[in-house]
Amino acid sequence: MKSSLLLFSLCFLCLCISLLPSFSTSTILFQGFVWASSEQEGGWWNHLKPLVGEIAASGAEYVWLPPPSNADINGSQGYLPKRLYDLDTSKYGNKEELKSLVAAFKQSGVKAVSDIVINHRMPERFDSNGNSIFEGGTPDSRLDWGVAEICRDDPEFHGTGNPDTGIGWGQVPDIDHTSTRVQQELSDWMNWLKTEVGFSGWRFDMVLGYAPKFTKLYIDNTKPEFSVGELFEKVALGNDNKPLANQDAHRGKLVNWVNEVGSGVLTFDFTTKMILGAAVEGELWRLKDGNGKPPGMIGTKPESAVTLVDNHDTGSQKTYPFPEDKIMLGYVYILTHPGHPSIFYHDYFERQNGIKDNIKSLSAIRKRNGITATSSINILAAQADLYMANIANKIIVKIGPNENLGNLLPSNAQVVANGQDYAVWELK
């Protein structure tokens, strides 16, 4: 989520990175909101509650909810947070509605993940000298910060803290995460979200804004069951405005961040997302790199990858968009391959042509065959119009319009899912 409040095309799919508790299972994440959810009449928490059963039926173990705290009027989606302890004046609903929703998810076997926006924060007001004054949302002084908690390279906000340890946000004060007060009070607030609301994990917004060691600190201090970081950078594009075949540098930044943070974290696999988006437009050869492996995090560290097609972080305003008419092919790929898939609310509930039922079917196939973040993969074909792979010697996946499979399909393969330009077989 970067600076502007322009419309973003919201999330389609994701594969996550995780080492906490045991993500060797087929963990699936469900993004339970869209960019316009804060405008929902009656509140998003109330809107979502009757849909809990359907979300559970998707096969998801975790549901990602938007930032729940009070936010600036110019950022009702929650990504310009102000009074962090104030859950009653969020555009999504009040605290009791949120607690009721999280409890309903838990009863249905789905754990709630809160979006955590801590790179930057909007002041409550400015004093007579123009200094930023923050209000935490409680009667006491918790999170009632001032200029000492703002990075000094934010001079427009009179910051007197240490220099920023990541990239700047712009137009909003960047928080100084080297401050022991910031570290303690943010950790306390996150632990309060666990005990008071019932959240089980975190989605860390804009982790490029502060050093990886601070994400590690907050994970160590709060011990979430699930955590994923949004480390977004554009991939390298060619003259055709499509991702280049070699994205080692882009992939390496994701892997390095995971390694620096350490156990207990995943990251969104933006590398594979971009390559997959280009591949399904008729260049399926892109799904096999020079070493014969899949691209992106899947090829190097699948246990840490949340692979996606589109979400509110990767709309066309930022980089190569996932083609709208190929969304189902993206789900076929991520729900059958190693990593941690994510399902997007818009695709599951608002698209036509039976995509919800298709997603549920693919999730069931994944679980039935024990496909995990570290399952083996053997790419059988990667041509312009045909991609086939054997996953864990349990299933075979075919994407693309080419029906001439030759001897790629063994005699013991039984089709269990099929649609426009795809099929999945189980090996009996």
Side-chain angles (χ1 to χ4, degrees), residues 80-313:
L80 297 176
K82 294 176 69 175
R83 301 189 298 271
L84 295 181
Y85 276 102
D86 180 0
L87 306 184
D88 283 323
T89 58
S90 164
K91 292 295 185 179
Y92 297 107
N94 62 42
K95 184 173 76 171
E96 291 307 313
E97 292 165 349
L98 175 59
K99 290 174 66 174
S100 179
L101 174 64
V102 171
F105 272 120
K106 186 175 182 179
Q107 189 172 10
S108 296
V110 180
K111 298 178 181 180
V113 173
S114 179
D115 213 318
I116 300 295
V117 184
I118 55 176
N119 169 70
H120 52 272
R121 188 177 168 200
M122 288 293 288
E124 186 71 19
R125 58 186 176 85
F126 298 92
D127 67 16
S128 59
N129 295 317
N131 295 322
S132 299
I133 305 296
F134 297 89
E135 165 58 47
T138 65
D140 57 30
S141 63
R142 285 175 292 170
L143 296 171
D144 293 353
W145 299 340
V147 293
E149 285 72 44
I150 300 175
C151 296
R152 70 176 62 168
D153 31 16
D154 266 1
E156 64 271 39
F157 296 105
H158 300 187
T160 62
N162 287 310
D164 204 334
T165 59
I167 65 172
W169 173 276
Q171 300 182 337
V172 183
D174 284 322
I175 300 306
D176 177 13
H177 288 274
T178 69
S179 163
T180 56
R181 178 181 181 184
V182 167
Q183 296 169 7
Q184 186 61 57
E185 293 191 358
L186 286 178
S187 297
D188 290 345
W189 168 68
M190 292 165 66
N191 279 321
W192 177 82
L193 288 176
K194 290 176 64 178
T195 57
E196 179 68 16
V197 180
F199 282 113
S200 298
W202 320 123
R203 178 267 189 190
F204 289 96
D205 182 69
M206 196 183 169
V207 296
L208 279 172
Y210 46 95
K213 65 181 180 181
F214 297 116
T215 302
K216 174 178 172 53
L217 181 147
Y218 296 123
I219 290 175
D220 289 345
N221 287 352
T222 64
K223 298 178 173 55
E225 295 184 29
F226 180 99
S227 61
V228 55
E230 179 232 354
L231 194 157
F232 179 83
E233 287 189 340
K234 293 182 179 180
V235 296
L237 301 180
N239 293 332
D240 58 359
N241 202 39
K242 294 182 179 181
L244 295 174
N246 186 339
Q247 297 291 344
D248 287 349
H250 190 272
R251 175 178 60 216
K253 290 180 180 179
L254 296 174
V255 174
N256 290 341
W257 183 84
V258 169
N259 288 338
E260 286 190 63
V261 177
S263 64
V265 72
L266 312 174
T267 192
F268 291 112
D269 184 3
F270 291 115
T271 310
T272 297
K273 180 268 180 196
M274 305 305 173
I275 295 174
L276 179 58
V280 296
E281 288 197 294
E283 299 176 333
L284 292 164
W285 54 268
R286 292 177 180 269
L287 297 179
K288 182 179 180 180
D289 67 15
N291 298 314
K293 297 180 179 180
M297 294 291 294
I298 292 178
T300 59
K301 201 162 186 173
E303 72 277 11
S304 297
V306 180
T307 305
L308 40 109
V309 176
D310 270 335
N311 68 8
H312 69 291
D313 297 307

Side-chain angles (χ1 to χ4, degrees), residues 237-407:
L237 301 180
N239 293 332
D240 58 359
N241 202 39
K242 294 182 179 181
L244 295 174
N246 186 339
Q247 297 291 344
D248 287 349
H250 190 272
R251 175 178 60 216
K253 290 180 180 179
L254 296 174
V255 174
N256 290 341
W257 183 84
V258 169
N259 288 338
E260 286 190 63
V261 177
S263 64
V265 72
L266 312 174
T267 192
F268 291 112
D269 184 3
F270 291 115
T271 310
T272 297
K273 180 268 180 196
M274 305 305 173
I275 295 174
L276 179 58
V280 296
E281 288 197 294
E283 299 176 333
L284 292 164
W285 54 268
R286 292 177 180 269
L287 297 179
K288 182 179 180 180
D289 67 15
N291 298 314
K293 297 180 179 180
M297 294 291 294
I298 292 178
T300 59
K301 201 162 186 173
E303 72 277 11
S304 297
V306 180
T307 305
L308 40 109
V309 176
D310 270 335
N311 68 8
H312 69 291
D313 297 307
T314 57
S316 59
Q317 289 87 352
K318 287 190 170 187
T319 189
Y320 186 77
F322 202 91
E324 278 286 311
D325 61 339
K326 307 295 184 182
I327 292 294
M328 193 60 222
L329 299 185
Y331 276 111
V332 171
Y333 187 89
I334 69 165
L335 286 168
T336 58
H337 279 60
H340 302 289
S342 176
I343 300 166
F344 177 39
Y345 176 93
H346 171 73
D347 299 327
Y348 192 71
F349 285 111
E350 298 176 353
R351 289 189 183 274
Q352 304 302 315
N353 303 321
I355 190 171
K356 177 168 72 172
D357 290 337
N358 293 339
I359 289 173
K360 288 165 67 174
S361 175
L362 289 167
S363 294
I365 292 168
R366 180 181 186 85
K367 292 177 181 293
R368 185 166 67 241
N369 289 279
I371 306 303
T372 73
T374 55
S375 292
S376 63
I377 176 170
N378 178 24
I379 297 177
L380 305 175
Q383 306 162 11
D385 58 355
L386 176 65
Y387 170 83
M388 286 186 70
N390 179 316
I391 314 297
N393 292 317
K394 297 290 186 66
I395 63 174
I396 290 179
V397 183
K398 175 255 182 186
I399 299 174
N402 191 337
E403 299 292 341
N404 183 20
L405 307 185
N407 61 356

Side-chain angles (χ1 to χ4, degrees), residues 2-24:
K2 299 292 186 274
S3 55
S4 70
L5 295 177
L6 298 173
L7 290 176
F8 289 88
S9 100
L10 269 133
C11 153
F12 163 59
L13 312 157
C14 325
L15 286 169
C16 284
I17 298 176
S18 156
L19 304 172
L20 244 189
S22 170
F23 284 103
S24 59

